[in-house]
Amino acid sequence: MLYISLSSRYVGVLVCSFPLLFLSVSQAQEGRHIADPLNISNAYGFGFDADTLKVGGRLGGENQSLAINSNFAGDKWALSYLYVSQPSAVTVSDSWNVSASIDHGKTKTDEGSFSHYQYQLGMIKEYKGWLNTSVYSELAANFLDVDSISNNDSLAVKWRLSVLKPWDPRWYNQFATEITASIDGSERYGGLANIAVGYRLTHQWSWELGYQYQVVRFNGLTREDTQWLLGMKSQF
């Protein structure tokens, strides 16, 4: 996934190896839309996060994928794993799909710049709605480890709802909302809303234009961020 952020962060196309994980390479999934969160096809891309160039890729197997993206400085990167119980979207199963990720980044605040790691483990449920609409609900546990503030580490629960609506073979819309709340007594909560319109150039390529708002409250510090997103997705 390639995203060129018009105001600040966001690139997400995602390849690398994972200990004890063996992936048999697969082709682009015919049954999954290119913007489907459970699409585990191989992908690659690059883009800009503000003035920072990011690169990455995703390696997909029959039921799982491994993805990574990073900037060239190496101080902002994300590694994610996804297991999909039903790779084809033709028939939706009652099973949950497993997601896991490690995200390392830096946040600039009035108090200074903080480096942090977020470790997340979650389950994703897929639903089919009216008029070919797909809905994805994810419930996850998220642990935040902030460098130099070890006594303020936080365990939270995160819920994310994503909606994918194809209008025809080329045009589609996406909407996502996310809520995070601490479950260990610390002051940590936040929310995110994202809406995007996409156009499929081919089965392998599409572009998207989106807008995102995010707010995070953590131990007395509040950070708000709004941004326009312009990007391109690829799969093969």
Side-chain angles (χ1 to χ4, degrees):
M1 176 75 195
L2 155 65
Y3 261 125
I4 302 173
S5 175
L6 301 184
S7 65
S8 60
R9 64 153 209 144
Y10 209 44
V11 177
V13 190
L14 315 158
V15 139
C16 129
S17 60
F18 195 76
L20 304 181
L21 176 66
F22 298 92
L23 298 172
S24 58
V25 176
S26 64
Q27 300 299 316
Q29 294 171 278
E30 296 292 338
R32 292 281 179 189
H33 193 279
I34 191 171
D36 193 322
L38 298 182
N39 190 332
I40 55 175
S41 301
N42 299 318
Y44 67 91
F46 64 93
F48 290 93
D49 177 348
D51 59 351
T52 303
L53 180 64
K54 286 189 173 183
V55 295
R58 180 178 67 219
L59 180 63
E62 293 183 0
N63 292 83
Q64 55 194 334
S65 68
L66 184 69
I68 188 171
N69 69 74
S70 175
N71 62 3
F72 275 102
D75 59 348
K76 292 184 179 181
W77 54 265
L79 176 67
S80 60
Y81 168 77
L82 176 65
Y83 177 84
V84 179
S85 59
Q86 180 58 265
S88 173
V90 177
T91 57
V92 181
S93 69
D94 292 330
S95 302
W96 288 82
N97 308 286
V98 180
S99 65
S101 64
I102 302 174
D103 190 310
H104 175 256
K106 287 186 176 181
T107 301
K108 292 183 179 180
T109 70
D110 294 337
E111 304 296 325
S113 180
F114 297 97
S115 175
H116 63 268
Y117 290 86
Q118 289 194 64
Y119 305 90
Q120 182 167 301
L121 178 63
M123 305 291 286
I124 304 174
K125 184 73 171 180
E126 179 182 13
Y127 305 91
K128 289 299 181 184
W130 292 92
L131 302 175
N132 201 29
T133 300
S134 298
V135 181
Y136 309 88
S137 180
E138 180 178 12
L139 184 64
N142 181 287
F143 180 74
L144 176 65
D145 179 11
V146 183
D147 291 353
S148 304
I149 322 178
S150 58
N151 59 325
N152 287 338
D153 294 345
S154 169
L155 179 63
V157 62
K158 178 181 289 186
W159 176 73
R160 181 180 179 89
L161 181 70
S162 304
V163 179
L164 170 62
K165 170 56 182 172
W167 295 101
D168 58 33
R170 293 191 180 275
W171 290 98
Y172 61 91
N173 277 114
Q174 284 182 292
F175 171 78
T177 184
E178 185 178 289
I179 298 174
T180 303
S182 170
I183 57 175
D184 62 357
S186 61
E187 184 191 26
R188 179 187 170 204
Y189 55 88
L192 177 148
N194 179 299
I195 188 168
V197 58
Y199 181 79
R200 299 179 70 177
L201 301 172
T202 66
H203 178 69
Q204 286 79 26
W205 292 90
S206 76
W207 63 261
E208 289 184 2
L209 175 65
Y211 180 79
Q212 178 172 289
Y213 169 78
Q214 184 177 24
V215 59
V216 177
R217 176 75 176 179
F218 178 68
N219 287 359
L221 300 176
T222 301
R223 178 175 179 266
E224 288 188 80
D225 186 24
T226 59
Q227 55 193 324
W228 287 95
L229 306 172
L230 175 64
M232 184 164 285
K233 290 183 177 181
S234 67
Q235 65 174 3
F236 60 95

